[in-house]
């Protein structure tokens, strides 16, 4: 097992999630909640942005996993001439 | 008013008492579980040895004793300590039932959600002591979350409890990773000047420190759901009571990432015994390989094996330890950002 590679890949993923979490928190609290005066619209937009953040995380993670599954399958299958 | 020096001394007493009690209680629990034949196979080892299952009993006994001592040392925090004890007891009971009589995934999740009840009751009875809402965030201060906070509150305990439980997959991973997560909460409590956070994180750290030697590779005891659900729930309770939810979120990023991968791939709450295909396969010599089937559930361990190739159990354990150090570093950085704000 290539431990260094795993730590670099997953470590980068974890740091990216952390950074995106900070960015989304700051964006919603400092920009969205300040710029919009209507409470209902503020809540709906805030919840929507958190949902979009989660959904994009889901798509990215599944994209990464699918890529590695495909790559491993291609490596393990016998090569045809 | 307790001075800083007294505070440090009291915390040191709590740490020593907690670690010593769990270190002394665990061998007795091991003998008890062996006598009662409450054992499980260690499936990641070629010889598949039988290991006593239910280390949560030792963790809970030690935690209970330390909480009594902390109520004597800090009588002004009696209500908060009672609420904390209520949450840990409920989650321990749910875990213990699951250890003895296997619960369905959905039932376990619903029951773990109920562990929030002591916090809500505490808030209703003593709203000035158990303050809920507006968690702290870096660069922001108190967040303006209102609707989302109350929507997410039921999962404030069930979330970390189940996330910790789901990563309790190999020898020593649960106590090691949660020990580091509680250390980050201890450091952030120091940085933010939160005495209650300091007390509660010291209790959890001591509990895990004394227990870890028995659970590390090769395990002499398994945590069981009673151990992992209780420790996860206690971290959640600590975060809610001290308003360090965001710091806990970062400290448990590895656990949450794993839970997110599993939930999104199996599409719902299922007990691992209910899932037909396993995310990884164990070869006869004990080597672990990723399951390449499209229908197999995703998990962080599967992703690790997909990236790094076949591995031994110890390799996976080391990787989780390093990843948890990264999460801990990020959690402490988040706390520093809160102080800067």
């Amino acid at each position: 097992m290539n431990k260094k590679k795993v730590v670099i890949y997953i470590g980068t993923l974890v740091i990216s999630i952390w950074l995106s979490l900070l960015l989304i928190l700051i964006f919603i609290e400092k920009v969205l909640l300040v710029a919009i005066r209507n409470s209902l619209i503020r809540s709906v937009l805030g919840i929507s942005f958190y949902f979009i953040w989660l959904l994009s995380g889901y798509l990215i993670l599944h994209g990464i996993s699918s890529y590695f599954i495909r790559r491993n399958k291609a490596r393990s299958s016998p090569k045809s001439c | 008013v307790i001075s800083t020096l007294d505070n440090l001394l009291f915390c040191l007493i709590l740490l020593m008492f907690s670690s010593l009690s769990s270190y002394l209680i665990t061998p007795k629990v091991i003998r008890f579980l062996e006598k009662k034949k409450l054992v499980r196979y260690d499936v990641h080892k070629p010889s598949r040895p039988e290991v006593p299952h239910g280390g949560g009993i030792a963790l809970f006994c030690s935690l209970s004793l330390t909480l009594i001592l902390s109520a004597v040392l800090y009588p002004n925090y009696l209500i908060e300590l009672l609420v904390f004890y209520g949450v840990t007891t409920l989650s321990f009971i749910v875990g213990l039932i699951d250890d003895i009589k296997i619960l369905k995934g959905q039932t376990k999740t619903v029951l773990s959600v109920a562990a929030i009840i002591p916090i809500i009751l505490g808030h209703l009875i003593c709203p000035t002591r158990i303050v809920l809402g507006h968690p702290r965030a870096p660069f922001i201060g108190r967040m303006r979350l209102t609707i989302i906070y109350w929507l997410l509150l039921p999962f404030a305990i069930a979330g970390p409890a189940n996330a910790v439980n789901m990563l309790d997959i190999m020898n020593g991973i649960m106590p090691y990773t949660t020990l580091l997560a509680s250390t980050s909460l201890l450091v952030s409590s120091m940085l933010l000047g939160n005495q209650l956070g300091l007390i509660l994180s010291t209790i959890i750290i001591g509990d895990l420190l004394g227990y870890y030697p028995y659970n590390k590779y090769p395990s002499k005891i398994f945590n069981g759901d009673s151990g992992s659900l209780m420790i996860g729930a206690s971290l959640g309770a600590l975060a809610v009571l001290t308003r360090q939810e965001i710091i806990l979120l970062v400290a448990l990023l590895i656990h949450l990432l794993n839970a997110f991968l599993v939930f999104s791939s199996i599409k719902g709450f299922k007990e691992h015994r209910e899932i037909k295909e396993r995310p990884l396969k164990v070869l006869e010599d004990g080597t672990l390989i990723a399951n390449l089937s499209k229908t197999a559930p995703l998990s962080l361990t599967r992703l690790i094996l997909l990236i790094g190739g076949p591995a031994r159990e110890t390799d996976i354990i080391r990787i989780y330890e390093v990843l948890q150090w990264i999460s801990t570093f990020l959690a402490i950085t988040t706390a520093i950002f809160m102080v800067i704000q």
Side-chain angles (χ1 to χ4, degrees), chain A residues 1-3 5-7 9-11 13-15 17-18 21-22 25-26 29-30 33-34 42-43 46-47 50 54 57-58 61-62 64-65 68-69 71-73 76, chain B residues 138-140 143-145 147-148 246 249-250 253-254 257 260-261 264 292 294 298 300 302-311 315 319 322-323 326 330 333-334 337:
Chain A
M1 156 160 278
N2 191 341
K3 282 191 246 182
K5 187 180 164 190
V6 176
V7 170
Y9 275 54
I10 312 258
L13 188 68
V14 168
I15 294 169
I17 295 170
W18 175 69
L21 173 74
L22 291 190
L25 281 174
I26 293 167
E29 291 283 332
K30 293 268 184 190
L33 296 188
V34 173
R42 236 180 12 216
S43 300
I47 292 170
Y50 282 124
L54 264 180
Y58 167 82
L61 281 174
H62 278 256
I64 293 170
S65 308
F68 280 109
I69 290 171
R71 206 183 67 167
N72 274 272
K73 265 189 180 172
S76 60
Chain B
F139 305 116
I140 297 162
M143 287 173 75
R144 291 208 274 175
L145 284 179
I147 299 170
I148 301 180
I246 303 289
L249 191 77
V250 179
L253 261 182
I254 304 294
L257 180 61
F260 187 69
L261 281 169
S264 59
L292 295 180
K294 265 193 171 180
L298 274 174
L300 195 52
R302 189 180 175 207
L303 192 60
I304 287 171
L305 290 168
L306 284 168
I307 296 170
D315 296 330
I319 285 170
V322 176
L323 291 175
I326 296 173
L330 295 177
T333 311
T334 311
F337 287 160

Side-chain angles (χ1 to χ4, degrees), chain A residues 47-67:
Chain A
I47 292 170
S48 309
F49 273 103
Y50 282 124
F51 180 74
I52 291 167
W53 177 71
L54 264 180
L55 188 71
S56 52
Y58 167 82
L59 293 172
I60 291 167
L61 281 174
H62 278 256
I64 293 170
S65 308
S66 305
Y67 165 74

Side-chain angles (χ1 to χ4, degrees), chain B residues 130-151:
Chain B
I130 310 294
V131 185
L132 298 176
H134 304 290
R136 273 175 175 227
F139 305 116
I140 297 162
R142 297 250 182 262
M143 287 173 75
R144 291 208 274 175
L145 284 179
T146 44
I147 299 170
I148 301 180
Y149 186 85
W150 291 102
L151 284 175

Side-chain angles (χ1 to χ4, degrees), chain B residues 12-71:
Chain B
L12 203 66
I13 293 170
L14 281 180
L15 184 75
M16 284 167 67
F17 182 85
S18 181
S19 48
L20 201 67
S21 59
S22 64
Y23 187 77
L24 295 174
I25 292 169
T26 311
K28 289 179 176 51
V29 173
I30 292 174
R31 279 196 292 276
F32 169 77
L33 294 168
E34 279 173 341
K35 209 173 153 187
K36 295 279 170 195
K37 298 269 177 221
L38 290 168
V39 290
R40 296 264 166 97
Y41 292 116
D42 192 344
V43 292
H44 296 127
K45 293 187 180 59
S47 59
R48 289 170 62 93
E50 283 186 337
V51 180
H53 183 82
I57 300 169
L59 287 167
F60 180 72
C61 291
S62 155
L63 193 93
S64 306
L65 290 173
T66 319
L67 276 170
I68 294 169
L69 178 68
S70 51

Side-chain angles (χ1 to χ4, degrees), chain B residues 249-301:
Chain B
L249 191 77
V250 179
L252 292 184
L253 261 182
I254 304 294
H255 301 77
L256 294 168
L257 180 61
N258 176 59
F260 187 69
L261 281 169
V262 176
F263 278 139
S264 59
S265 62
I266 63 169
K267 294 182 174 62
F269 301 102
K270 282 179 191 165
E271 169 67 9
H272 64 91
R273 298 166 196 93
E274 295 170 40
I275 303 162
K276 283 176 189 165
E277 266 193 295
R278 311 301 306 155
L280 47 117
K281 291 174 181 172
V282 188
L283 302 182
E284 275 184 19
D285 64 345
T287 307
L288 304 167
I289 56 164
N291 187 345
L292 295 180
S293 162
K294 265 193 171 180
T295 49
L298 274 174
S299 71
L300 195 52
T301 312

